[in-house]
Amino acid sequence: MILRTLILWFFIKLSLFACAGGWDYNQKEFIFLENRNMPFSNISEEINSANVYNTILWAYEEKNKEENLKEWKKELKDKYSINEIEDFVYKRINLEKLKDKEILDYINLVKEQEKHVTNDYYMGEEEKKKLKKYTLILNETLKKIDTVNSSWLKLRYFYLSLRLAHYKKENPLKIYEKYKYLLENKDKTIVKDWIQGLYAGALVKNKQVEKGVYEFSKLFDKDKINSHLSYYNFFHIKSDTQWNELLNLANTNEEKTKFFALRALNENSNILEELQNIYSLDKNSKWFDFTLFRELLNTQHFFDQSSEYERNFPYKKYIEFLQTVQKDDMYLVKLSLAYFNLYEKNYKESSKLTDELIKDYPSSHEVQTLSYILYLEQLEKIDTRIENSIYDKMIKLTKNETNSNSIHNYTFVVLEKLYLKQNDKFNSFLANHINYLDLATFDLELLEKFRIFMENPKDSKIKEHFANKYLEQKMIKKQDNKFVLDENLQNTKTKLLINNLKFEEALNLNSSLLNEKVQFNPFNGLIRGNNRSGKQNTMSIKEFLDKTLVIQKELEKNPKSVMDNYLFANALYNLSYFGNSNILTTVYRSVYSFNDYDLQKEKINLAIKYYTIALEESKEKEFKAKITYMLSKAELALFDINYSTKMQDYYNKDLNRYDLERYWFYNKKVYDNYIKNSYGKYFDMLKNDYSNTKYYKELIHECANLRIYQKHK
């Protein structure tokens, strides 16, 4: 059955977690250690964080249910399947299949009782009124302990009685004292762990805090179903006096060393001091290894690449202490020393310790992994021979990797750095994207390099691995002994060609993208800065490209055509970051920055060129006013580009981004800079030459940029 009432014991702890976020910033990117079988050993995050606590609780409830169903199956002589038993015990359906009256009585009593020991927040008032009085249920449960025949059920009735009495403050300790003899049998059952937790909680509630924590500590063992209770109730010890009282309750050094290990789990503990305390009591204590392993696990932050988490870990102090330690089993001490020396770049000492570990533990995957990481950390260059060596070592280890993809992924972190060190940007790119090919990183040149790389023979096993990983991602496929881009990369290439103003090549690719509709008409030039109108456009991308090519051909025949120059300039402006159709030129559009500086500048300068021709050749004043306004928008865009700030992309270190000084509007400082650097030519022209037009009167009413510019000027 489900232990929902554990929440009662955790309410203080949960109140501390209430303001915590869902993300744990202590999570590590790479872990090269094997799992241990002690509680909390394999949790690399801060165990007091809300998400870790909830994960532990959910995992406990799942495991608890699984073990409970196994016990039920055994008790029912394997007559029923696990699913059938789950129906009986948890869902309380198909009970007619159960012929054992004692079992049926127990299940029905649990059903009546659990409404009193779970949160009644969602229970209606009428439903609460219909509840059977808990005192009657408690008396009935206590009676069952004495009258039921099954010793298995006696223990479960003991648990039910203790749980209800604890929840309702009906002297649970008295019940425990009366029936604790039932725990003396040698039968192994999770119910004993449940009872131990309830008893410890009842002691704490009865203000016997130190004794309660002592009893909770008995659950801190790999064989206890609810071992997490031991630590999550350890916070009740808040003073030196209480700590000394707790130590006095210990009957053995093993219990005392366990207390130090529990105290060391707190993120604010002095772990080195706790290790010294444990070592002084028992140099071979399992709690020494437990605490040291947890600390070694914590230091795997050393391998993080993108985390901002920093810790001034005193590696040297740990090395000094661990060099004095002499245990019967020195495995973990040497493993820790090898890593700590690696972190300190004492590679010679780390290698010596690693060699000793390999000699003593030749089959240890954990030691082999350490040796490999040490090898990677000492590499200064990369060539074909080293690539093959790395691959052979990596593949051998990853076949048996148990915890994660850390060995594989860290290999390519190191490779990326080595390639960059040798200015090999393409292979650095391949290493960086080994698990995920980000389409937004490509430009035309890189995409063509990638295609050629996939097509050509590879000169090393690592390069073959690159190719296989990218084939797995299905971004590129082999067809008739050639590598062709899949639909996503074809569409990406189409956008890149449009961005590079290679309209005919984009059409000839014949990608599926061409059938998509253009949201806003790229030939529009509206008063709104980005030329977007609320009307849905029905033009496809193919139709847009076809029309653009027709306009270009007309311009070849008649370079001074007013309308063709104007429409082509609009298309160029709208394909820039600042226009209405820049989605056609980029995989990912940021709202405040762009990454293709030269191409953006080229499009805007070309747009200005064609607008200027249209303006010079036009005879109609209203239209000239409109062209002049489009020139002023292009000039604004040119200012934004020229005064943007170059930044490295946060998520992709291969990309540079250019942040705009203004996002949606100009502030006074930006306007002053705009005017001081001789921008505003076309704003001035609008006022001086076209202020008597209908278009200008509409413009001055609608365009905030023009009004504010004139105010500042």
Side-chain angles (χ1 to χ4, degrees), residues 27 36 48 61 68 99 104 110 272 287 474 491 496 501 551 619 639 647 676 689 691:
Q27 190 167 8
R36 266 52 176 180
N48 278 345
E61 289 181 349
N68 190 35
K99 305 304 179 184
L104 278 171
V110 171
L272 184 55
W287 299 113
K474 299 181 179 178
N491 290 340
L496 290 170
L501 308 182
I551 292 171
K619 306 299 180 189
F639 170 80
M647 305 284 286
K676 184 176 77 173
D689 299 345
S691 59

Side-chain angles (χ1 to χ4, degrees), residues 517-530:
K517 299 295 181 185
V518 182
Q519 186 175 6
F520 303 105
N521 189 338
F523 299 109
N524 273 351
L526 308 175
I527 289 176
R528 180 173 293 185
N530 54 19

